[in-house]
Amino acid sequence: MKVIIQENYDKMCEWAANHIIDAINAHKEERPFVLGLPTGSSPIGVYRRLVAANKAGKVTFKNVVTFNMDEYVGLPHEHDQSYWYFMHDNLFDHIDIPRENINILNGMAEDPEAECAAYEEKIASYGGIDLFMGGIGVDGHLAFNEPYTSLSSRTGVRDLTSDTIIVNSRFFDNDPSKVPTRALSVGIGTVMDSKQVLVLISGHNKARALAATVEGGVSQKWTCSALQLHNDAIIACDEAACGELTVDTYKYFLDVYGSERL
Ligand code: GLP
C-alpha cells in the first residue's frame, strides 16, 4: 500500500486530481478508461480540479466510462441529496463525458437486487474498473459497506448504521429522520477487483479510520482495511488525518513517498 501524505486537504486533492488526469492521459487503448467515483465532501476538491483541467484542455473524458460507488434508496435524481444530483452538480454537468458513459445505481429501482446484479454485469462488460477512487466514513466504511460487511461483498442493498445516519444528517437539515436508512452500494469485493484503488482520507475525524486502514489487522470491523490485500492501493491523505498513526508509520511513508509532496 502507498500512503501519500500531503500537508492539507487542498494539496491532497491536487495530488489525487493529477494522478487521475495522468492515468486517463496514459490510457492509449481503444476501449474506454473505466473510472470508479465516490460522493461525499472528500472528493469535491478533486472534482473541482478535474473540471478545471477539462476546461483547460488538459484532459478529456470522451473515452472515460464512470461507475459511482453508491446511492441512497428512495431518493429520486432531482433530490439535491441524491448522489445522482451530487455527481452532476459537482462533475458531470461541467465536463465533456458522454452522458451514456455515466453509470450510477438507481436508488428508485423497483427491483434493487436486479439493479445491483446488472451493475456488476455492466462493470464486467467493460473488463472491470481501471481506477476506483473512494472516500471513507469515520467508521471506515468504503462506499456504503458498513462495519461487518463481508470483505468479499458484491454490489447490493445495504442498511446504514445509526452512526452513519447521524454523520450524514448534516446534509439533511441535521435531522437524522430525513436520512434514508438504506443504500445501494458496490461491494468491498467489487472495489478490490479494480486494477487500482485510490482512497482520500482527510481531517482529524478520519484519523482512527486511517490508522485502521494502514496499521490495523484486516478485519470486517473496518471494511477499509481490506485494502491491505489489494496489490495497487493508494491512500492520499492530509496531515490532520495522520493523528492516530504511530510515529514510525508516519515517518516510513514520508521517507518513501515524500517526493510526492506538493
Ligand atoms: C458517505 C458515502 C461514502 C463516503 C463517506 C464519507 O457515507 N457513502 O462513499 O466516502 O460518506 O464522506 P465524506 O467524504 O463527506 O467524509
Side-chain angles (χ1 to χ4, degrees):
M1 178 184 278
K2 283 185 187 169
V3 180
I4 311 288
I5 303 168
Q6 298 292 346
E7 190 187 342
N8 54 38
Y9 173 77
D10 280 339
K11 289 185 179 176
M12 176 192 79
C13 291
E14 180 83 18
W15 187 91
N18 289 343
H19 181 80
I20 293 168
I21 291 165
D22 289 348
I24 293 172
N25 288 338
H27 180 83
K28 303 291 180 210
E29 296 167 42
E30 217 169 280
R31 68 168 190 97
F33 184 83
V34 186
L35 181 62
L37 294 172
T39 52
S41 33
S42 305
I44 286 179
V46 178
Y47 292 153
R48 203 172 295 139
R49 286 167 173 82
L50 293 180
V51 169
N54 183 229
K55 289 198 189 310
K58 292 179 182 157
V59 67
T60 173
F61 292 86
K62 284 193 176 138
N63 197 31
V64 174
V65 166
T66 63
F67 285 90
N68 261 82
M69 286 195 139
D70 44 17
E71 177 61 285
Y72 287 116
V73 167
L75 296 191
H77 290 171
E78 59 276 11
H79 190 292
D80 66 1
Q81 291 309 324
S82 77
Y83 288 167
W84 190 98
Y85 186 99
F86 174 97
M87 287 307 301
H88 286 76
D89 194 32
N90 285 287
L91 184 67
F92 298 140
D93 285 350
H94 314 287
I95 59 175
D96 63 352
I97 188 166
R99 300 292 106 170
E100 63 273 18
N101 287 11
I102 298 168
N103 296 283
I104 303 178
L105 286 156
N106 178 10
M108 301 293 284
E110 269 179 37
D111 184 345
E113 303 290 351
E115 169 74 9
C116 294
Y119 206 66
E120 286 274 345
E121 277 171 27
K122 198 160 183 196
I123 292 172
S125 76
Y126 284 105
I129 292 176
D130 291 297
L131 168 57
F132 216 136
M133 175 165 70
I136 57 172
V138 291
D139 62 1
H141 69 245
L142 189 55
F144 264 131
N145 296 293
E146 298 280 30
Y148 310 108
T149 305
S150 162
L151 299 185
S152 58
S153 52
R154 310 302 309 187
T155 305
V157 184
R158 303 284 189 270
D159 292 316
L160 307 193
T161 61
S162 304
D163 280 356
T164 294
I165 289 172
I166 290 166
V167 171
N168 288 5
S169 68
R170 70 191 190 281
F171 299 117
F172 292 84
D173 306 325
N174 291 313
D175 179 355
S177 72
K178 290 186 181 167
V179 182
T181 57
R182 296 198 309 158
L184 306 185
S185 173
V186 296
I188 295 295
T190 320
V191 176
M192 292 292 284
D193 281 351
S194 309
K195 293 183 190 83
Q196 185 175 68
V197 185
L198 165 63
V199 173
L200 309 171
I201 307 184
S202 160
H204 293 286
N205 61 337
K206 301 282 175 70
R208 281 181 70 218
L210 176 59
T213 308
V214 179
E215 291 181 338
V218 174
S219 162
Q220 60 187 353
K221 185 172 182 189
W222 293 90
T223 55
C224 53
S225 67
L227 294 172
Q228 291 177 28
L229 300 177
H230 195 285
N231 196 30
D232 193 1
I234 306 172
I235 307 295
C237 63
D238 60 10
E239 294 279 351
C242 292
E244 296 286 333
L245 294 179
T246 62
V247 175
D248 269 0
T249 304
Y250 176 79
K251 280 164 74 177
Y252 172 83
F253 285 112
L254 273 189
D255 185 31
V256 180
Y257 301 113
S259 61
E260 301 283 345
R261 261 168 101 88
L262 301 174

